[in-house]
Amino acid sequence: MAKASQTKYIFVTGGVLSGLGKGITAASLGTILKARGFSVNIQKCDPYLNTDAGTMNPAEHGEVFVTHDGAETDLDLGHYERFLDEELGRASSLMNGRVYANVIADERAGKYLGKTVQIVPHVTGEIVNQILAAGIGFDFHIVEIGGTVGDIESLAFLEAIRQIRRKVGADHTLYVHVVYLPYLEASHEIKTKPAQNAVRDLREAGIHPDVIVARAERPVSQAVLHKLSLFCDVDEGGIVPMPTAKTVYEVPLMLETAGLGDYITKQLGLPTRRAKLDDWRRLVDLIKHPDHRSLKIGVVAKYMENEDTYLCVFEAIKAAGWANRIRPEICWIDAENIVENPELLQGYDGLVVPGGFGSRGVEGKIAAGSYAMKHHIPYLGLCLGMQTAVIALARDIGLTGANTTEIDEHTAHPVISLMADQKDVETKGGTMRLGDYPCILESKSISAEAYGTKKITERHRHRFEFNNAYREQLQAAGLKLVGLSPDKRLVEVIEIANHPFFVASQFHPEFKSRPNRPHPLFHAFIKAAAQEKA
């Protein structure tokens, strides 16, 4: 990678309303800059007073993404990793709670020498330091500011990124503001006033945007772009229309076609380079023009209020489908309704049981594992999906009431139980087995064949483990413990004997899947489902 003399900082903010796609925009900017040979890092700054995303409700905020070094983060880091095909660390996620915790700790330690501790300069100074530290060693450091300009909790972050321009220089910083252009059906026109107001709010915070990304549900005319340029005081070359794409993976190509990559490098005084995006174009073409073959994949879910709850799982299934030239039809199955309505499991070419916490829907997930075993339906279990599969087998062989102690502390057969070092843990946040852990696969297993190697490293997020007291009994019933920790103490991957594809992992393989490089277990699952359907 070519190295610039100093890191360039790109700040992505949002206006008008939330959910416009700031994360996709930031990730796409990273994609087109990396395609030019620059080294790129990305960071999400969230104004929530949480320390991290570990205790946040997935029904409200979507899935919790886990980095290789064990940080529980906002789902946007999943977008970043998929688009950049890079592993990010805990420095790429900064939440307000951690900022304040650091400031208060410093105050208690006397590091401010008796001064009155204030939002400016102490809180903003901590934010500035965290951002600058995360950008060290990269040509570009892209920083997404969560929320919408005007939110009270975002003010300190906006002030911090304003200060960074003063600190590192205007030739090393660039501000990108994502806005929305609503379409009025009655008058058949796109309105720019909300975007103008959003830019005004940003300027009131002391930040003048260099680029405006204008989200819209309809094509944006040149006249609208000219109007935005005039009223927002931004060069027309820096105003990029962003109509809704058929796939989010098309966004980098849309930004590149709009000339944003060249515009950014010119604004920051860098040489113009051709973006090597041929592989990305092939991926998008494959997504937009799928093969006629399809598979009906059932995802046995307990968090159904928010489509982002299982975002990485869905993206991993799709990527595996594209790689196999198959169009996966992903269907939600409400885990809470399965016990009373077992017919809900019928008609699928494969079943995926993802992770989760708490008792709600667990019996339905257990039923799904039992159904897949008995009817030889390809099954992929993820974290809790492995644990419920073990419970299903235990019950099927006569261990009545078998369960996990997470659900039933007094179960007669605790086939899943707490790790020894977790029994005295009282706090919830950041106390699970998190991040990368090694695993050794059995050489003749389906899983080892899928990976093409015996030694793997995968990301975890859980407290409860397979209870080794039941190893021999369950193995005699057909359970294959094909993946173990290097010391053979922890069960990481299981398979069921004499089954076309029944694989479940204690880890979360979905976190390491990429759109153009699907995870081996998902790839093998889709391939097996297609073979069974044929």
Side-chain angles (χ1 to χ4, degrees):
M1 291 288 185
K3 288 291 181 185
S5 59
Q6 183 177 332
T7 303
K8 308 292 185 180
Y9 294 88
I10 298 178
F11 301 102
V12 180
T13 56
V16 184
L17 47 84
S18 61
L20 287 180
K22 294 193 307 298
I24 297 296
T25 300
S28 298
L29 285 172
T31 300
I32 63 177
L33 291 170
K34 183 180 178 183
R36 284 170 162 75
F38 294 109
S39 60
V40 181
N41 193 37
I42 307 189
Q43 182 179 37
K44 174 71 178 287
C45 292
D46 253 318
Y48 302 120
L49 282 173
N50 302 68
T51 299
D52 57 35
T55 60
M56 295 171 71
N57 186 345
E60 293 181 25
H61 301 280
E63 74 177 356
V64 174
F65 187 79
V66 178
T67 60
H68 71 91
D69 55 357
E72 295 174 286
T73 77
D74 176 87
L75 59 82
D76 275 325
L77 266 75
H79 290 313
Y80 303 161
E81 288 206 1
R82 283 188 292 275
F83 277 69
L84 284 182
D85 195 9
E86 301 277 358
E87 287 200 335
L88 303 176
R90 63 178 62 252
S92 285
S93 177
L94 179 62
M95 283 195 171
N96 227 351
R98 193 163 97 233
V99 171
Y100 277 89
N102 290 348
V103 169
I104 292 169
D106 285 347
E107 185 273 332
R108 293 288 84 189
K111 292 184 179 181
Y112 298 123
L113 303 177
K115 292 182 179 179
T116 301
V117 179
Q118 298 175 284
I119 302 299
V120 181
H122 302 104
V123 171
T124 54
E126 176 67 18
I127 296 170
V128 168
N129 291 339
Q130 293 278 350
I131 290 174
L132 295 181
I136 292 173
F138 296 93
D139 295 329
F140 282 92
H141 183 53
I142 300 172
V143 182
E144 178 194 349
I145 306 298
T148 305
V149 172
D151 295 343
I152 292 174
E153 57 265 33
S154 298
L155 294 176
F157 283 99
L158 295 177
E159 171 60 18
I161 66 173
R162 183 198 68 78
Q163 291 178 16
I164 288 177
R165 170 162 282 189
R166 302 294 300 171
K167 192 176 185 71
V168 304
D171 54 342
H172 295 296
T173 54
L174 186 135
Y175 299 107
V176 177
H177 199 39
V178 183
V179 298
Y180 182 62
L181 302 178
Y183 179 81
L184 289 186
E185 189 69 43
S187 58
H188 304 290
E189 62 179 334
I190 285 178
K191 305 299 289 186
T192 65
K193 184 62 71 175
Q196 293 177 43
N197 291 340
V199 171
R200 182 195 63 204
D201 292 342
L202 188 63
R203 294 175 69 174
E204 287 179 351
I207 299 171
H208 191 298
D210 302 291
V211 172
I212 293 176
V213 175
R215 286 279 291 108
E217 303 300 324
R218 302 292 182 95
V220 181
S221 68
Q222 193 63 39
V224 169
L225 299 181
H226 178 74
K227 187 175 181 180
L228 278 174
S229 174
L230 178 65
F231 283 89
C232 299
D233 193 25
V234 175
D235 292 341
E236 281 196 45
I239 299 179
V240 180
M242 186 56 61
T244 300
K246 185 175 181 180
T247 167
V248 295
Y249 300 113
E250 191 175 7
V251 175
L253 301 182
M254 296 168 72
L255 297 182
E256 183 63 23
T257 300
L260 187 56
D262 288 342
Y263 183 83
I264 288 175
T265 53
K266 181 180 179 181
Q267 289 293 109
L268 294 174
L270 294 172
T272 300
R273 298 175 180 172
R274 187 181 73 85
K276 298 178 181 180
L277 289 165
D278 292 344
D279 289 344
W280 205 264
R281 290 189 178 92
R282 281 190 286 270
L283 169 68
V284 171
D285 185 67
L286 183 64
I287 295 171
K288 295 176 71 174
H289 303 94
D291 197 272
H292 68 280
R293 294 188 302 161
S294 66
L295 288 174
K296 191 176 180 182
I297 304 299
V299 177
V300 182
K302 61 180 291 183
Y303 308 116
M304 302 188 64
E305 300 89 344
N306 186 339
E307 290 187 5
D308 288 341
T309 304
Y310 301 101
L311 183 60
C312 281
V313 175
F314 286 7
E315 292 303 313
I317 295 171
K318 292 175 187 176
W322 301 329
N324 282 285
R325 297 280 176 172
I326 287 170
R327 177 171 50 84
E329 178 188 349
I330 302 173
C331 305
W332 295 72
I333 305 174
D334 192 338
E336 286 192 272
N337 296 330
I338 290 174
V339 174
E340 294 184 3
N341 303 282
E343 67 276 5
L344 291 174
L345 295 169
Q346 297 175 4
Y348 293 99
D349 300 308
L351 294 174
V352 177
V353 179
F357 296 91
S359 60
R360 185 171 60 85
V362 166
E363 288 298 324
K365 294 192 175 201
I366 295 170
S370 181
Y371 182 90
M373 288 181 208
K374 293 174 181 176
H375 294 85
H376 282 221
I377 306 297
Y379 176 99
L380 181 62
L382 314 172
C383 197
L384 180 61
M386 186 196 95
Q387 297 176 358
T388 53
V390 171
I391 295 168
L393 178 61
R395 292 182 182 180
D396 287 346
I397 64 170
L399 298 180
T400 304
N403 215 325
T404 165
T405 54
E406 178 185 6
I407 308 304
D408 181 2
E409 293 183 7
H410 306 292
T411 174
H413 298 290
V415 292
I416 305 294
S417 60
L418 268 180
M419 297 183 288
D421 59 356
Q422 291 285 324
K423 289 183 178 179
D424 296 323
V425 172
E426 295 182 359
T427 57
K428 298 293 184 184
T431 55
M432 294 181 280
R433 185 149 72 106
L434 293 165
D436 277 358
Y437 285 86
C439 170
I440 308 298
L441 297 173
E442 184 182 303
S443 58
K444 295 183 179 180
S445 64
I446 291 174
S447 300
E449 182 179 351
Y451 278 97
T453 183
K454 291 169 53 180
K455 297 181 179 180
I456 63 172
T457 300
E458 290 285 358
R459 300 183 198 177
H460 294 65
R461 184 178 183 245
H462 64 101
R463 279 195 177 83
F464 294 79
E465 299 276 1
F466 182 96
N467 187 342
N468 291 324
Y470 289 87
R471 277 196 186 189
E472 292 185 8
Q473 193 171 1
L474 291 173
Q475 284 178 300
L479 184 68
K480 300 171 68 178
L481 309 182
V482 301
L484 302 174
S485 58
D487 62 6
K488 299 184 179 182
R489 186 173 65 89
L490 302 174
V491 175
E492 297 280 25
V493 187
I494 66 166
E495 295 177 7
I496 298 295
N498 303 315
H499 192 288
F501 189 95
F502 195 106
V503 178
S505 65
Q506 184 59 81
F507 48 77
H508 288 268
E510 67 270 22
F511 292 147
K512 297 181 74 170
S513 182
R514 305 289 185 256
N516 50 7
R517 187 166 49 82
H519 190 280
L521 292 186
F522 281 90
H523 188 279
F525 166 71
I526 292 294
K527 184 177 181 180
Q531 290 173 344
E532 286 300 301
K533 184 178 181 179

